[in-house]
PDB file of all heavy atoms in Angstrom:
ATOM      1  N   LYS A 148    -115.157 -30.470  47.792  1.00  0.00           N
ATOM      2  CA  LYS A 148    -114.122 -29.551  48.457  1.00  0.00           C
ATOM      3  C   LYS A 148    -112.846 -30.310  48.667  1.00  0.00           C
ATOM      4  O   LYS A 148    -112.757 -31.462  49.066  1.00  0.00           O
ATOM      5  CB  LYS A 148    -114.603 -29.122  49.731  1.00  0.00           C
ATOM      6  CG  LYS A 148    -115.820 -28.219  49.713  1.00  0.00           C
ATOM      7  CD  LYS A 148    -116.252 -27.647  51.140  1.00  0.00           C
ATOM      8  CE  LYS A 148    -117.531 -26.858  51.033  1.00  0.00           C
ATOM      9  NZ  LYS A 148    -117.904 -26.540  52.412  1.00  0.00           N
ATOM     10  N   GLN A 149    -111.688 -29.555  48.265  1.00  0.00           N
ATOM     11  CA  GLN A 149    -110.356 -30.251  48.220  1.00  0.00           C
ATOM     12  C   GLN A 149    -110.125 -30.814  49.602  1.00  0.00           C
ATOM     13  O   GLN A 149    -109.332 -31.723  49.836  1.00  0.00           O
ATOM     14  CB  GLN A 149    -109.329 -29.415  47.641  1.00  0.00           C
ATOM     15  CG  GLN A 149    -109.529 -29.111  46.228  1.00  0.00           C
ATOM     16  CD  GLN A 149    -109.229 -30.223  45.305  1.00  0.00           C
ATOM     17  OE1 GLN A 149    -108.587 -31.269  45.716  1.00  0.00           O
ATOM     18  NE2 GLN A 149    -109.731 -30.278  44.155  1.00  0.00           N
ATOM     19  N   PHE A 150    -110.455 -30.118  50.635  1.00  0.00           N
ATOM     20  CA  PHE A 150    -110.202 -30.625  52.026  1.00  0.00           C
ATOM     21  C   PHE A 150    -110.872 -31.898  52.411  1.00  0.00           C
ATOM     22  O   PHE A 150    -110.678 -32.352  53.383  1.00  0.00           O
ATOM     23  CB  PHE A 150    -110.384 -29.445  52.954  1.00  0.00           C
ATOM     24  CG  PHE A 150    -111.643 -28.770  53.136  1.00  0.00           C
ATOM     25  CD1 PHE A 150    -112.808 -29.447  53.777  1.00  0.00           C
ATOM     26  CD2 PHE A 150    -111.844 -27.482  52.600  1.00  0.00           C
ATOM     27  CE1 PHE A 150    -113.956 -28.952  53.871  1.00  0.00           C
ATOM     28  CE2 PHE A 150    -113.094 -26.839  52.758  1.00  0.00           C
ATOM     29  CZ  PHE A 150    -114.135 -27.603  53.352  1.00  0.00           C
ATOM     30  N   GLU A 151    -111.865 -32.313  51.635  1.00  0.00           N
ATOM     31  CA  GLU A 151    -112.442 -33.560  51.880  1.00  0.00           C
ATOM     32  C   GLU A 151    -111.576 -34.698  51.262  1.00  0.00           C
ATOM     33  O   GLU A 151    -111.760 -35.798  51.542  1.00  0.00           O
ATOM     34  CB  GLU A 151    -113.802 -33.589  51.206  1.00  0.00           C
ATOM     35  CG  GLU A 151    -114.899 -32.646  51.830  1.00  0.00           C
ATOM     36  CD  GLU A 151    -116.245 -32.638  51.149  1.00  0.00           C
ATOM     37  OE1 GLU A 151    -116.197 -33.274  50.093  1.00  0.00           O
ATOM     38  OE2 GLU A 151    -117.129 -32.132  51.726  1.00  0.00           O
ATOM     39  N   LEU A 152    -110.660 -34.234  50.389  1.00  0.00           N
ATOM     40  CA  LEU A 152    -109.876 -35.124  49.696  1.00  0.00           C
ATOM     41  C   LEU A 152    -108.314 -35.345  50.265  1.00  0.00           C
ATOM     42  O   LEU A 152    -107.543 -36.204  49.934  1.00  0.00           O
ATOM     43  CB  LEU A 152    -109.732 -34.986  48.259  1.00  0.00           C
ATOM     44  CG  LEU A 152    -111.052 -34.790  47.543  1.00  0.00           C
ATOM     45  CD1 LEU A 152    -110.819 -34.387  46.125  1.00  0.00           C
ATOM     46  CD2 LEU A 152    -111.717 -36.051  47.498  1.00  0.00           C
ATOM     47  N   SER A 153    -107.990 -34.405  51.083  1.00  0.00           N
ATOM     48  CA  SER A 153    -106.703 -34.235  51.675  1.00  0.00           C
ATOM     49  C   SER A 153    -106.729 -33.771  53.104  1.00  0.00           C
ATOM     50  O   SER A 153    -107.569 -33.203  53.490  1.00  0.00           O
ATOM     51  CB  SER A 153    -105.653 -33.288  50.856  1.00  0.00           C
ATOM     52  OG  SER A 153    -106.248 -32.108  50.858  1.00  0.00           O
ATOM     53  N   LYS A 154    -105.623 -34.129  53.861  1.00  0.00           N
ATOM     54  CA  LYS A 154    -105.616 -33.788  55.210  1.00  0.00           C
ATOM     55  C   LYS A 154    -104.635 -32.641  55.352  1.00  0.00           C
ATOM     56  O   LYS A 154    -103.568 -32.602  54.919  1.00  0.00           O
ATOM     57  CB  LYS A 154    -105.072 -34.985  56.141  1.00  0.00           C
ATOM     58  CG  LYS A 154    -105.913 -36.116  56.050  1.00  0.00           C
ATOM     59  CD  LYS A 154    -105.445 -37.281  56.894  1.00  0.00           C
ATOM     60  CE  LYS A 154    -106.308 -38.464  56.899  1.00  0.00           C
ATOM     61  NZ  LYS A 154    -105.626 -39.554  57.691  1.00  0.00           N
ATOM     62  N   PHE A 155    -105.106 -31.608  56.046  1.00  0.00           N
ATOM     63  CA  PHE A 155    -104.161 -30.409  56.301  1.00  0.00           C
ATOM     64  C   PHE A 155    -104.867 -29.601  57.507  1.00  0.00           C
ATOM     65  O   PHE A 155    -105.884 -29.924  58.014  1.00  0.00           O
ATOM     66  CB  PHE A 155    -104.130 -29.518  55.106  1.00  0.00           C
ATOM     67  CG  PHE A 155    -105.438 -29.007  54.705  1.00  0.00           C
ATOM     68  CD1 PHE A 155    -105.877 -27.891  55.107  1.00  0.00           C
ATOM     69  CD2 PHE A 155    -106.062 -29.636  53.763  1.00  0.00           C
ATOM     70  CE1 PHE A 155    -107.057 -27.343  54.590  1.00  0.00           C
ATOM     71  CE2 PHE A 155    -107.379 -29.220  53.265  1.00  0.00           C
ATOM     72  CZ  PHE A 155    -107.852 -28.106  53.683  1.00  0.00           C
ATOM     73  N   ASN A 156    -104.045 -28.728  58.019  1.00  0.00           N
ATOM     74  CA  ASN A 156    -104.478 -27.863  59.076  1.00  0.00           C
ATOM     75  C   ASN A 156    -105.432 -26.812  58.594  1.00  0.00           C
ATOM     76  O   ASN A 156    -105.060 -25.871  57.946  1.00  0.00           O
ATOM     77  CB  ASN A 156    -103.248 -27.152  59.804  1.00  0.00           C
ATOM     78  CG  ASN A 156    -103.653 -26.351  61.002  1.00  0.00           C
ATOM     79  OD1 ASN A 156    -104.852 -26.247  61.344  1.00  0.00           O
ATOM     80  ND2 ASN A 156    -102.660 -25.798  61.678  1.00  0.00           N
TER      81      ASN A 156
END
Side-chain angles (χ1 to χ4, degrees):
K148 295 180 180 180
Q149 294 291 343
F150 54 76
E151 294 174 353
L152 305 175
S153 61
K154 297 179 180 179
F155 59 89
N156 181 358

